[in-house]
Amino acid sequence: MDINDDALRALWQRQQPPPGLAATMARKVQRHRRLAAVRVTVEIAVTVAGIALLTWPAADGHLSAGQWLLIPFFSVFLVAGWAVLLRQRADQRVAAHAPVAVYASVRKRQLRTRLRHLKLAQVSALALCGYALASVVACHLVGTVEWKQAALRLAVWALAWMAGTGWLVRRQRTAIRQEYRRIARLGVGD
């Protein structure tokens, strides 16, 4: 079969975009912005709920053993989580008219950052499990029954969190690496 590149190019350039393309793209952009707003709202709600759950009993001085065990975790987790989220908010968009090399370089940087964040999520889940294990050991050595039960609950939730994080990281890492390989095949350097 003889394929004439010039004829194909001319045919492609003559082709009109589908009707309603601008409206479809505008809907997709609006949907993306709504989802981003919902995500930020959920992040803020979870943060406020975590702070409220930890400070409410502290107001009258009656913290339970479970809350005492969660204070060190939340004091680190909330600060680290928000630091990552705020760092992600940096605008790294590239104009559509930018050269392919610029687009590829910025996109590869974004993908590497996402991979680092996934690694941070794995490490933080592992750190939570380590903290839970240390809590279980310490509470079983010197704690009361209430403290032992609270430490065991924390360990169970830490393991569930680590399993969920592992699943999410594996799922997202595969997609990110595939996109990174596609971008790297463009043959442009960083």
Side-chain angles (χ1 to χ4, degrees):
M1 173 170 27
D2 187 24
I3 298 176
N4 184 346
D5 286 339
D6 293 330
L8 284 174
R9 185 178 300 119
L11 180 63
W12 173 71
Q13 289 175 345
R14 262 195 327 245
Q15 186 176 4
Q16 294 297 319
L21 180 64
T24 303
M25 290 183 73
R27 279 194 310 275
K28 286 183 179 182
V29 167
Q30 290 171 348
R31 179 178 175 263
H32 178 75
R33 287 181 181 162
R34 281 192 306 268
L35 287 174
V38 167
R39 192 180 113 212
V40 168
T41 304
V42 168
E43 291 166 356
I44 292 171
V46 166
T47 301
V48 169
I51 291 170
L53 284 173
L54 291 174
T55 58
W56 187 304
D60 63 0
H62 299 292
L63 283 174
S64 71
Q67 290 163 328
W68 275 110
L69 290 174
L70 286 177
I71 287 173
F73 170 70
F74 271 105
S75 62
V76 172
F77 178 75
L78 288 176
V79 172
W82 274 105
V84 168
L85 288 173
L86 291 175
R87 213 175 70 188
Q88 274 183 328
R89 302 271 189 261
D91 191 15
Q92 294 183 346
R93 289 178 288 181
V94 180
H97 62 276
V100 173
V102 173
Y103 168 76
S105 174
V106 170
R107 188 64 187 146
K108 284 167 64 175
R109 220 175 340 177
Q110 289 172 340
L111 294 171
R112 282 193 302 265
T113 300
R114 287 181 63 194
L115 286 171
R116 276 194 303 272
H117 289 165
L118 291 177
K119 182 70 173 173
L120 178 64
Q122 273 187 319
V123 169
S124 66
L126 186 62
L128 174 60
C129 282
Y131 173 71
L133 178 65
S135 298
V136 167
V137 170
C139 289
H140 276 341
L141 291 177
V142 296
T144 64
V145 173
E146 180 187 9
W147 282 85
K148 290 175 185 177
Q149 290 173 348
L152 284 175
R153 276 193 309 273
L154 177 64
V156 168
W157 281 110
L159 288 174
W161 185 263
M162 190 161 123
T165 301
W167 173 79
L168 185 67
V169 165
R170 279 190 304 276
R171 186 170 169 243
Q172 288 187 0
R173 185 186 295 147
T174 302
I176 292 170
R177 285 183 175 167
Q178 286 173 351
E179 184 178 354
Y180 189 87
R181 286 185 201 109
R182 283 193 302 267
I183 297 294
R185 272 186 244 142
L186 291 174
V188 292
D190 286 314

